[in-house]
């Protein structure tokens, strides 16, 4: 099936650092989503992007919908310990059937630098 | 507001036993419903989705089945569990096809 290429796969953060991650695809999407998953829990929607070029913030999080509609990035500024977890990007296309299903990246695991 | 409930949170079942996981959504009508499986804390695999009562679409061939007996109830079942069915199962809902999904808390299934 379709895949989103999400990078990096994992990263270590030190409190106060800024963090960047991104997702790319060979396909065009109408919506880009970013989720965060804490251990043992379901993913929680952080940011939804609906228009090419859109830049949206949610507190210390900022995400952008790429102009080509084939990519998106997520930035976390001034990271704190509770930012650790797995971040997933997801793309959506309009349409019925399987076209309307979320396509997920494989996740970026954020851990605290030892 | 809308809420999604999924239970049980954890389950340990012997190989060959049946399975029934339940998910309900409150605060909305005619949601699209989904079952995902997540192995080893990464990678969400869509198993089933439903656009209405009794309407189930399967995304991958497997040992599991899904049913939607009521508008806001989605059930994941198996007649005989395999070791490979172990994993973290997530239920989700969305307003329509092609819109963002909201996830439940998940069920950790261990088949022994």
């Amino acid at each position: 099936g379709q895949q989103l290429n999400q990078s990096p796969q994992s990263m270590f953060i030190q409190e106060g650092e800024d963090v960047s991650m991104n997702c790319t695809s060979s396909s065009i999407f109408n919506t880009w989503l970013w989720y965060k998953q804490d251990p043992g829990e379901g993913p929680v929607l952080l940011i939804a992007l609906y228009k090419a070029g859109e830049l949206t913030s949610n507190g210390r999080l900022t995400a952008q919908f790429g102009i080509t509609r084939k990519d998106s990035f997520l930035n976390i500024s001034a990271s704190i310990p509770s930012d650790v977890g797995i971040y997933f990007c997801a793309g959506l296309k309009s349409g019925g059937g399987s076209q309307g299903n979320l396509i997920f990246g494989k996740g970026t695991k954020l851990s605290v630098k030892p | 507001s809308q809420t999604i409930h999924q239970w049980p949170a954890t389950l340990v079942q012997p190989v060959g036993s049946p399975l029934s996981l339940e998910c309900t959504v409150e605060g909305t009508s005619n949601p699209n419903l989904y079952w995902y499986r997540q192995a080893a804390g990464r990678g969400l695999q869509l198993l089933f989705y439903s656009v209405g009562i009794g309407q189930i679409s399967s995304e991958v061939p497997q040992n599991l089945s899904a049913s939607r007996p009521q508008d806001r109830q989605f059930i994941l079942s198996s007649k005989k569990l395999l070791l490979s069915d172990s994993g973290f199962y997530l239920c989700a809902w969305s307003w329509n096809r092609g819109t963002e999904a909201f996830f439940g808390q998940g069920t950790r299934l261990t088949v022994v």
Side-chain angles (χ1 to χ4, degrees), chain A residues 9 33 35 37 40-43 50 86 88 92-93 97-98 100-102 104 106-107, chain B residues 34 36 38 41-44 46 49 59 88 90 97-105:
Chain A
Q9 285 190 345
L33 307 169
Y35 290 86
Q37 186 177 28
E41 299 191 8
Y50 304 106
I86 302 178
F88 290 99
L92 271 171
K93 303 183 180 185
S98 297
N101 292 331
L102 284 168
F104 279 93
K106 294 192 174 181
Chain B
Y34 309 85
Y36 285 85
Q38 186 176 33
R42 306 288 291 266
L44 290 139
L46 179 63
Y49 69 90
E59 287 294 292
F88 192 52
L90 289 156
R97 308 294 290 131
T99 62
E100 56 265 39
F102 301 94
F103 287 84
Q105 290 292 324

